[in-house]
Amino acid sequence: MNHIYMDYASTSYVDPKVLESMLPYFTEEFGNADSMHEMGRNAKQAVDRARKKIAEILNCRTEEIIFCGSGTEANNLAILGTARANKDKGAHIITSESEHSSILKAIKYLEKHEGFEVSYINPEDLEKTIREDTILVSIIYANNEIGSIQDIQKMGEICRKKGIYFHTDACQAGTSLSLDTQALNLDMMTLNASKLYGPKGVGILYKKKTVEIQPIIFGGGQEMGLRSGTVNTALIVGMAKALELAQTNKESENKRLSFLQDKLINGILNSIPGSELNGSRESRLPNNINVYIPKIDNKELVLHLDEAGIYASTGSACSSGKTTPSHILKA
C-alpha cells in the first residue's frame, strides 16, 4: 500500500542533506563545545558557523541567536523571560486566543501566578489595546493549525513606535515566508527545526540585543547566560542547514505546494456536501489545509484515513489525545 503523509504541520522528515551535515558531530567530532581541547574547539567552531548562517538568514547579529531545546522552550523563554525582566515597567501583555499552546499557557501562568494582566485580541485591534503599562505583545506569524498569515510587519511597526517589545512565533512559517527580522520590525522570533525538514529537539529564539530578558533554565550559563545546558552541536548544525535549504527553496516549493493545495481544497469542497475551509483562502500558508466536514467524528475519520495509508491530524499534535474542540478553531 502507498502511504501519503499529510501531517507536516506536526513534523517533517529530516532532509538527507541535513542528516549528512549532522552525522560527524554524533560520532567523530562529539566534543563538548565548552571544552578547551581540540575536539571542544571543533564543536564550538561548528556551532559558531551555524549561528552565523542563521543570523545571515534572519538579518541579525550572531549574539542575538539563542539556541534552545525546542520551539516550545524558545516561546517560554520569550514570554516568561521578558515579562519577568520588565515587570518594573508594567504588567500588561497582549496576545491572541489563537496562539500555540506554548504561548498561551506561559501567558496564563503569568496571569494566574505572577500578577500580570492579559488582553486577548484580534490582531487588527492591537493599537487601541496598547496601554501605558503594556510591556509585551506576542502574535503568531502563521497559524499552526489553520495556516492563517498575520501582518506582523505592521504590528511590529506599531509596537516599535510605542516602545513595546514584539514577539512572534514563526515556527510554522520557516519554509514559506520571509524571516528578515529587520524588515518585519521584530524584537523576538521563535523558530524550530522539526518543521523545516530538520531534527527534532532544537529551536532558536532571536532576541534583539536591546531586549531585557531573564533565563528560565539555570546551570552553566551557556548561550550568553540565557539557556544553560550542554550545547547540542549536531542538532544546531542540522537546524542551520535545514533553515538554509528551506529559505533557498522557498519560492519553488511555494509554487509547487500552492498547486497541490488548490487541487485538494477544490476536490474536498466540490465532492463532500457541506464541507467548508477553515481560515483564509488567500492569506494562508501554501502547505496548509484545514477543513470542516459535517456529521463526521474527527477521530474516527483520522483512523479511517490511517487505515487507507493517509496520515492526517484533527489539530495540533502538541495537544494529541485530547477530544475537546481546538482552541484555535473556537477562537
Side-chain angles (χ1 to χ4, degrees):
M1 181 173 63
N2 290 325
H3 296 275
I4 301 173
Y5 184 82
M6 303 187 71
D7 200 18
Y8 283 95
S10 167
T11 195
S12 58
Y13 65 86
V14 176
D15 186 289
K17 293 178 181 177
V18 174
L19 179 60
E20 183 181 3
S21 73
M22 295 167 60
L23 287 176
Y25 301 99
F26 286 116
T27 55
E28 300 164 24
E29 298 290 350
F30 59 86
N32 188 320
D34 289 319
S35 296
M36 296 179 66
H37 50 65
E38 183 181 0
M39 288 187 71
R41 293 195 302 272
N42 290 346
K44 185 178 185 305
Q45 288 169 6
V47 171
D48 289 346
R49 287 193 298 270
R51 199 187 306 272
K52 182 180 179 182
K53 173 56 67 179
I54 292 172
E56 289 172 354
I57 294 170
L58 304 191
N59 190 20
C60 67
R61 302 175 180 181
T62 55
E63 62 267 28
E64 294 176 326
I65 301 297
I66 305 164
F67 290 112
C68 299
S70 63
T72 290
E73 184 193 324
N75 277 340
N76 274 241
L77 176 58
I79 300 301
L80 300 176
T82 306
R84 290 167 179 169
N86 293 275
K87 196 172 184 181
D88 59 327
K89 301 173 184 175
H92 181 232
I93 299 171
I94 298 174
T95 190
S96 76
E97 290 280 11
S98 56
E99 300 297 307
H100 189 272
S101 58
S102 60
I103 294 288
L104 287 178
K105 289 186 178 181
I107 288 177
K108 288 181 185 297
Y109 181 91
L110 291 171
E111 188 177 22
K112 183 177 180 180
H113 299 287
E114 299 189 22
F116 286 84
E117 189 174 347
V118 183
S119 295
Y120 299 91
I121 65 165
N122 291 320
E124 58 266 23
D125 297 328
L126 173 60
E127 190 162 15
K128 66 183 181 183
T129 310
I130 291 174
R131 310 184 326 202
E132 287 187 4
D133 62 339
T134 305
I135 57 172
L136 175 64
V137 174
S138 183
I139 300 292
I140 197 167
Y141 193 174
N143 192 272
N144 57 299
E145 287 192 22
I146 59 173
S148 300
I149 301 169
Q150 301 291 351
D151 188 354
I152 61 168
Q153 183 180 30
K154 181 179 178 180
M155 288 184 275
E157 185 178 0
I158 292 170
C159 291
R160 186 151 294 181
K161 288 178 180 177
K162 300 284 187 178
I164 298 165
Y165 294 142
F166 180 56
H167 166 262
T168 191
D169 174 357
C171 288
Q172 212 67 50
T175 58
S176 306
L177 304 178
S178 168
L179 301 177
D180 186 328
T181 57
Q182 306 308 308
L184 294 171
N185 300 311
L186 296 174
D187 295 301
M188 292 178 285
M189 179 171 69
T190 298
L191 288 165
N192 66 350
S194 63
K195 311 292 178 70
L196 302 168
Y197 302 92
K200 299 171 184 65
V202 61
I204 65 166
L205 176 65
Y206 155 73
K207 182 196 75 68
K208 194 175 180 180
K209 194 174 182 180
T210 54
V211 176
E212 296 180 50
I213 194 168
Q214 292 180 1
I216 60 173
I217 295 176
F218 299 90
Q222 290 87 348
E223 293 304 291
M224 288 75 76
L226 292 174
R227 203 281 181 179
S228 294
T230 302
V231 175
N232 196 326
T233 306
L235 299 194
I236 288 170
V237 168
M239 175 154 195
K241 186 65 176 178
L243 189 59
E244 178 185 22
L245 291 171
Q247 287 291 296
T248 300
N249 299 329
K250 180 175 60 180
E251 188 174 335
S252 60
E253 274 294 278
N254 285 352
K255 184 177 180 180
R256 181 182 72 87
L257 291 168
S258 294
F259 170 78
L260 294 173
Q261 181 186 56
D262 286 340
K263 185 175 182 179
L264 184 53
I265 290 174
N266 292 334
I268 291 172
L269 300 186
N270 292 335
S271 61
I272 303 176
S275 60
E276 297 176 19
L277 181 69
N278 294 320
S280 170
R281 180 83 188 242
E282 293 77 28
S283 185
R284 187 188 204 96
L285 291 174
N287 65 342
N288 178 282
I289 299 172
N290 188 301
V291 293
Y292 161 73
I293 300 174
K295 300 179 182 179
I296 295 289
D297 179 87
N298 58 6
K299 211 167 189 178
E300 187 175 350
L301 176 60
V302 167
L303 292 174
H304 278 298
L305 288 171
D306 184 44
E307 289 177 359
I310 300 171
Y311 306 137
S313 287
T314 60
S316 172
C318 303
S319 303
S320 61
K322 295 184 178 180
T323 56
T324 55
S326 161
H327 74 274
I328 291 170
L329 290 180
K330 287 171 70 178

